[in-house]
């Protein structure tokens, strides 16, 4: 990854480590007790990078997430009211569907009755006006008949 500089003498650089010095408090009056970070000063760490640069800094602890607040409890009355409302809407919707079904069924039965009447009426008309069925009946030719005192003479 980095070029090999084996033909040159290795370069050594001095690494300086700085230790911070704590500052004395500016006010001599005792302050109220407030929770603060630990009183010890963390050590400074230095890292030498492959290109020779030196990085100095403090080690930082990872931040802790805040605890999740507990959800407030839901009132049992509110739950019962909500469930009752859902049940009422379901019943109303079911009654609406039932009413629509009954209306559609009534219309369908009415159509079937009309269809049966048309078919039966057509069958009766065919039986009355059919010229092909002369079994046992008397055929009267009105043009040639002579009517005398309500009697037909042919």
């Amino acid at each position: 990854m980095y070029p090999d500089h084996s033909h040159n003498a290795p370069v050594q650089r001095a690494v300086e480590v700085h230790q911070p010095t704590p500052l004395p408090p500016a006010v001599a009056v005792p302050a109220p007790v407030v929770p603060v970070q630990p009183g010890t000063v963390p050590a400074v760490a230095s890292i030498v990078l492959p290109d020779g640069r030196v990085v100095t800094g403090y080690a930082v602890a990872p931040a802790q997430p805040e605890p999740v607040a507990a959800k407030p409890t839901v009132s049992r009355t509110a739950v019962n009211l909500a469930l009752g409302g859902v049940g009422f809407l379901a019943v109303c919707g079911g009654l609406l569907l039932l009413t629509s079904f009954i209306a559609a069924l009534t219309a369908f039965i009415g159509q079937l009755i009309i269809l049966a009447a048309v078919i039966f009426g057509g069958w009766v008309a065919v039986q009355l006006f059919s010229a092909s069925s002369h079994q046992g009946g008397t055929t009267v030719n009105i043009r040639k008949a002579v009517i005398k005192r309500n009697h037909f003479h042919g």
Side-chain angles (χ1 to χ4, degrees), residues 13-33:
R13 294 194 169 105
V15 176
E16 295 181 29
V17 177
H18 298 278
Q19 295 290 340
T21 56
L23 298 174
V27 180
V29 178
V33 177

Side-chain angles (χ1 to χ4, degrees), residues 8 17 22 25 38 50 57 63 65 73 95 106 111 113 126 140 144 149 152:
N8 295 334
V17 177
T73 58
L95 289 176
T106 304
Q111 293 293 322
I113 291 171
V126 166
V140 178
K144 294 181 182 178
R149 293 186 192 174
F152 290 94

Side-chain angles (χ1 to χ4, degrees), residues 36-148:
V36 293
Q37 295 293 332
T40 61
V41 177
V44 178
S46 297
I47 300 173
V48 179
L49 299 177
D51 63 351
R53 293 180 294 159
V54 177
V55 177
T56 305
Y58 293 102
V60 179
Q64 297 292 332
E66 292 186 23
V68 179
K71 293 183 180 179
T73 58
V74 179
S75 166
R76 185 161 298 283
T77 305
V79 170
N80 290 340
L81 284 175
L83 290 176
V86 169
F88 178 75
L89 289 177
V91 168
C92 289
L95 289 176
L96 180 67
L97 287 176
L98 181 64
T99 305
S100 301
F101 175 74
I102 290 172
L105 187 62
T106 304
F108 178 68
I109 292 172
Q111 293 293 322
L112 287 178
I113 291 171
I114 292 171
L115 179 64
V118 168
I119 290 174
F120 182 71
W123 181 80
V124 169
V126 166
Q127 295 301 318
L128 288 177
F129 297 116
S130 175
S132 64
S133 63
H134 298 295
Q135 303 168 357
T138 304
T139 302
V140 178
N141 191 348
I142 296 178
R143 289 186 184 172
K144 294 181 182 178
V146 178
I147 303 173
K148 290 184 181 178

